[in-house]
Amino acid sequence: MKTNIRYIFATLALFISAVSYSQKVEETRHVERDSVKIDVKYKTRYTAPFWSNLFLQGNFAGRVIYGEEDNGLPFFKRLKPGFTIGIGKQIHPDFGIKLSFGGMRLDGWNRTDTYGVYKQYAGWAQNKDPMKEYYESQGVDTSNGYVHQMKFLEGSADILFDLGNIFTKYNHYGDRKWRFDAYLGLGFIHVMRWKGTSRNSKITLRSGLITTYNITPELGLNFTIGNSMTSSTIDGVIGKGGKLDHIGAMALGLKYSFGKQGFKTMRLVSQSEMWQLTNAMAATRQEEIKNVTIERMVMDTTMLGGLLIPSVVFFPNKAEYNKELQQVNLYRIALFMNLYKDITITIVGNINKSQRYIAEKRVDIVRRILIQDYGINPKRLKTDVYDLNKRFGVQGYEHSVSFTFYKEE
């Protein structure tokens, strides 16, 4: 048993070390912003408030035990119901943690001609089979073996790995319809005394996969398939030659996310490279301002009756846009507001072919960029979502964030 525990902790340590190392790698990226092109080295950090990215999870499970002789009982007769409830937190876009509690039933099989030495407890001598004696006292014929019934409770702590973010760039999972997680963790299983089975407790190594379909940003339907590996003496039997038993599980349930969801991305750049990028951007902006005429800007903004022509086009059904193509439009809006200090604009998310919650996220992204990157006064920025195509009688704005304006009296 000591060897099994060492193996379990060594496996966990290996996974945790790999994840920690992956967060420390320095990257070099080609940055393109406001017509400025430069290579910078940076480290990526993700931040979020402590009480954010929380979730509750509840599952109805079917469990099957795989021991030395359990194949003597057909699979579907070993499949028994169970439950799991848990609470967790996404602590990084790539991984999170979850604490769970569950249990109910397990059914295995014992052949009476090969039973081993049973764990001792009050009232039973060595080499006695307490389960067999229990069933025989109930009038059950045990000559060919008998069903080994167990009731158990289990607590666990798991590390969750978001496979979508690990193998692709960070994508806020609230914007995805499907989410795929792998998990690895430790559990503590307690078998209760019942029908001749002795009381018993063991440590388990847990692993598995979770698929979640997001019905709404807060509510998801998930399917889990997993395995718990533990000592073969979990059923109270020793001496049959096997070292490990496995408990397979399939579960269907709901996941409810609460608290603010998502992470703020921070790029940590050296001071010298930041000065280089800032100076290059400042020089480029000054050059662009010389080439912009106020008359043309005014003409553009009045052509559609208060709807500014520059808009930010997002990818369909996502709160993301092509920064290389769309950043110039954000710059034009910021320039317009700096040229006309008495203008207030409304940032409008089009819901023509987009869900409302996606349109709202797009609006929030654009507003935050105008405030943080261009220094626009938040009081001059209002927000709204509606069918912009229908209201202004235009086409081509299906997945865009657009801007309307009016002059302060």
Side-chain angles (χ1 to χ4, degrees), residues 33-34 285 288 297 308 310-314 321-338 345 347 362-371 373-374 376 381 401-403:
R33 184 169 178 183
D34 292 353
R285 287 182 177 179
E288 288 183 355
M297 290 292 294
L308 294 176
S311 62
V312 182
V313 181
F314 284 73
Y321 61 88
N322 187 319
K323 293 183 179 180
E324 295 182 6
L325 298 178
Q326 301 300 318
Q327 196 70 28
V328 64
N329 292 330
L330 283 166
Y331 172 68
R332 290 182 65 194
I333 294 299
L335 177 61
F336 172 75
M337 297 198 73
N338 284 326
I345 69 170
I347 307 170
R362 292 170 175 172
V363 167
D364 182 65
I365 290 171
V366 171
R367 181 178 183 275
R368 187 166 60 248
I369 291 174
L370 290 175
I371 294 171
D373 293 2
Y374 294 98
I376 303 301
L381 300 173
V401 168
S402 299
F403 309 89

Side-chain angles (χ1 to χ4, degrees), residues 137-316:
S137 71
Q138 303 297 312
V140 177
D141 180 7
T142 64
S143 57
N144 295 318
Y146 60 87
V147 177
H148 185 170
Q149 297 180 308
M150 292 177 282
K151 286 184 178 180
F152 75 98
L153 295 174
E154 182 182 29
S156 62
D158 298 323
I159 302 175
L160 305 175
F161 302 92
D162 187 328
L163 302 180
N165 284 334
I166 290 176
F167 295 108
T168 64
K169 66 179 181 178
Y170 166 52
N171 181 358
H172 184 284
Y173 51 85
D175 298 333
R176 304 198 310 245
K177 279 297 182 184
W178 289 94
R179 173 178 174 140
F180 301 93
D181 292 277
Y183 70 86
L184 180 71
L186 289 176
F188 181 81
I189 185 169
H190 175 72
V191 176
M192 293 175 278
R193 183 175 296 176
W194 186 55
K195 294 188 176 181
T197 301
S198 61
R199 186 181 293 113
N200 200 1
S201 298
K202 298 294 179 184
I203 293 176
T204 62
L205 175 63
R206 295 162 43 85
S207 61
L209 297 172
I210 306 173
T211 301
T212 304
Y213 175 75
N214 292 312
I215 303 171
T216 70
E218 295 80 22
L219 185 65
L221 178 67
N222 59 63
F223 175 75
T224 303
I225 181 168
N227 177 69
S228 294
M229 181 173 63
T230 188
S231 167
S232 62
T233 62
I234 183 65
D235 52 8
V237 183
I238 62 177
K240 287 192 175 181
K243 293 183 178 180
L244 295 171
D245 277 0
H246 298 265
I247 303 172
M250 294 179 291
L252 185 67
L254 295 174
K255 175 183 177 182
Y256 176 73
S257 301
F258 62 98
K260 185 177 181 181
Q261 300 293 306
F263 294 86
K264 182 178 179 180
T265 304
M266 300 177 63
R267 310 289 189 190
L268 306 181
V269 183
S270 67
Q271 186 174 9
S272 60
E273 290 182 322
M274 179 60 72
W275 277 113
Q276 182 183 357
L277 179 60
T278 301
N279 292 336
M281 289 174 58
T284 302
R285 287 182 177 179
Q286 289 297 324
E287 190 65 29
E288 288 183 355
I289 289 175
K290 295 177 182 179
N291 299 325
V292 177
T293 62
I294 296 177
E295 290 75 19
R296 183 174 181 181
M297 290 292 294
V298 173
M299 179 184 67
D300 284 351
T301 60
T302 57
M303 286 179 62
L304 297 176
L307 175 64
L308 294 176
I309 287 180
S311 62
V312 182
V313 181
F314 284 73
F315 295 120

